[in-house]
């Protein structure tokens, strides 16, 4: 019997699989099947809660396309909520292991019944590797086989010969490329997102964020997540947006980042970067054995393997 919990953080949703005995495998095939919004449970990713030697729990995370991800800022909040609500740790602090290292998560608010409502994550110090100018001229994109011509009015620099975008590159344990645009709502996220995700400048792919300032301590943005597509929120994405906004002179170091799924509070201190936001449990259930077998059998036969 395989149990699951459906969770989300500001609309970034996940299928959480408790596996503290380490008995369940999570491969790309199963992740894709679970994340399918028509024939599976639906989600931006799958999180397997596994035992950890150096933390309270390990977050084994795969994106909706089955690819492995180093870190997920919204997912780690949901993991902490589950662990605290289940009484698997004492107190309000959880140490969550990930492929990007251990992240410490603290409860900041609870519902009247005692369940965790929001948490604060120590995301670690961001790494800024500079800015990069990328050619997104229609001819260049067409030659790369990455999509149609760039639609007009998306806030990119245009010269007589080229269309260019400048991206700020930030690592939060996973890679991010942040663009400043006039208005994220009208930005060509569905066009520039996949193009930049697979650009040669990012051999491992990258997450792509589109931001604009809404005040000295407020940034609005949209996210194209590597291996997923556009998402309502991203904890690491919000972190990268806040860092890029500060480096570009658009915001201070304490920033409210508004994304389609809600708002996240980001505080970039001299020591680290912290993200505070909600963690929500939607439902619990059991995966139907026959459905699971239908996923496993083709995989064992070599069909659709990662």
């Amino acid at each position: 019997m395989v149990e699951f919990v459906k969770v989300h953080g500001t609309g970034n949703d996940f299928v959480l699989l408790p596996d503290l005995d380490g008995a369940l495998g999570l491969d790309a095939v199963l992740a894709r099947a679970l994340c399918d919004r028509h024939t599976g449970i639906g989600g931006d990713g799958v999180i397997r809660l596994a035992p950890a030697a150096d933390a309270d729990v390990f977050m084994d995370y795969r994106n909706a396309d089955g690819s492995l991800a180093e870190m997920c800022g919204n997912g780690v909040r949901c993991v902490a909520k589950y662990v605290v609500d289940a009484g698997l740790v004492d107190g309000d602090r959880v140490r969550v292991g990930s492929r990007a290292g251990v992240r410490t998560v603290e409860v900041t608010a609870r519902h009247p019944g005692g369940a965790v409502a929001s948490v604060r994550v120590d995301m670690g110090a961001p790494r800024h590797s500079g800015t990069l100018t990328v050619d997104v001229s229609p001819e260049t994109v067409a030659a790369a086989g990455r999509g149609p011509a760039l639609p007009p009015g998306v806030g990119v620099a245009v010269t007589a010969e080229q269309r260019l975008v400048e991206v700020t590159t930030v690592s939060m344990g996973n890679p991010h490329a942040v663009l400043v645009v006039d208005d994220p709502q009208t930005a060509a996220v569905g066009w520039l997102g996949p193009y930049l995700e697979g650009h040669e400048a990012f051999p491992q792919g990258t997450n792509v964020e589109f931001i604009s300032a809404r005040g000295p301590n407020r940034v609005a943005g949209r996210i194209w997540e590597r291996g997923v597509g556009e998402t309502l929120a991203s904890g690491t994405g919000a972190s990268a947006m806040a860092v890029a906004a500060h480096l570009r002179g658009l915001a201070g170091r304490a920033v409210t980042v508004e994304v389609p799924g809600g708002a996240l509070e980001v505080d970039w201190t001299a020591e680290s970067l912290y993200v505070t936001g909600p963690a929500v449990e939607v439902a619990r259930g059991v995966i139907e054995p026959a459905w699971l077998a239908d996923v496993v059998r083709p995989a064992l036969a070599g069909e659709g393997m990662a």
Side-chain angles (χ1 to χ4, degrees):
M1 182 175 68
V2 178
E3 297 180 345
F4 75 89
V5 185
K6 182 65 185 290
V7 294
H8 80 84
T10 47
N12 195 192
D13 61 337
F14 313 97
V15 180
L16 190 152
L17 303 175
D19 184 33
L20 296 177
D21 294 329
L24 176 67
L26 175 61
D27 61 11
V29 173
L30 180 57
R32 288 194 294 266
L34 287 170
C35 289
D36 192 295
R37 298 190 183 277
H38 298 285
T39 59
I41 296 169
D44 292 327
V46 180
I47 302 169
R48 183 179 71 96
L49 296 185
D54 58 348
D56 295 308
V57 67
F58 181 78
M59 181 178 71
D60 178 15
Y61 179 68
R62 285 186 181 266
N63 292 314
D65 70 348
S67 60
L68 292 171
E70 302 89 345
M71 182 59 197
C72 178
N74 285 322
V76 74
R77 296 202 313 276
C78 294
V79 167
K81 172 182 171 58
Y82 176 87
V83 170
V84 172
D85 286 351
L88 300 176
V89 298
D90 295 325
D92 289 341
R93 176 177 291 193
V94 184
R95 297 179 75 248
V96 181
S98 74
R99 292 182 178 88
V102 177
R103 298 292 184 262
T104 300
V105 189
E106 296 185 71
V107 176
T108 57
R110 291 178 179 265
H111 295 291
V116 172
S118 70
V119 298
R120 183 177 190 248
V121 185
D122 182 347
M123 298 293 293
R127 297 194 302 274
H128 168 52
S129 54
T131 58
L132 181 68
T133 300
V134 179
D135 183 356
V136 295
S137 303
E139 296 80 4
T140 303
V141 176
R146 296 215 173 255
L150 179 66
V154 295
V156 297
V158 179
T159 69
E161 299 82 17
Q162 294 178 310
R163 293 173 185 245
L164 307 172
V165 292
E166 185 176 72
V167 300
T168 301
T169 55
V170 179
S171 173
M172 294 304 307
N174 58 353
H176 295 266
V178 185
L179 293 78
V180 177
V181 297
D182 293 336
D183 184 354
Q185 289 189 345
T186 59
V189 174
W191 188 92
L192 284 173
Y195 176 63
L196 292 172
E197 176 190 353
H199 193 272
E200 62 183 11
F202 309 106
Q204 304 303 315
T206 188
N207 302 282
V208 187
E209 286 82 31
F210 302 76
I211 64 168
S212 65
R214 292 291 185 265
N217 296 301
R218 189 171 293 271
V219 171
R222 287 168 65 187
I223 302 125
W224 181 272
E225 189 169 342
R226 177 184 58 170
V228 182
E230 185 170 4
T231 58
L232 296 180
S234 167
T236 59
S239 303
M241 286 191 270
V243 170
H246 179 72
L247 293 174
R248 300 288 291 269
L250 301 176
R253 297 179 73 98
V255 187
T256 298
V257 179
E258 299 173 344
V259 292
L264 294 168
E265 302 298 328
V266 180
D267 185 15
W268 184 16
T269 71
E271 295 79 27
S272 192
L273 183 146
Y274 302 88
V275 176
T276 302
V280 179
E281 181 177 314
V282 178
R284 297 186 178 212
V286 177
I287 297 174
E288 174 62 38
W291 180 90
L292 188 60
D294 285 342
V295 172
V296 172
R297 278 195 297 264
L300 291 177
E303 298 175 16
M305 292 295 288

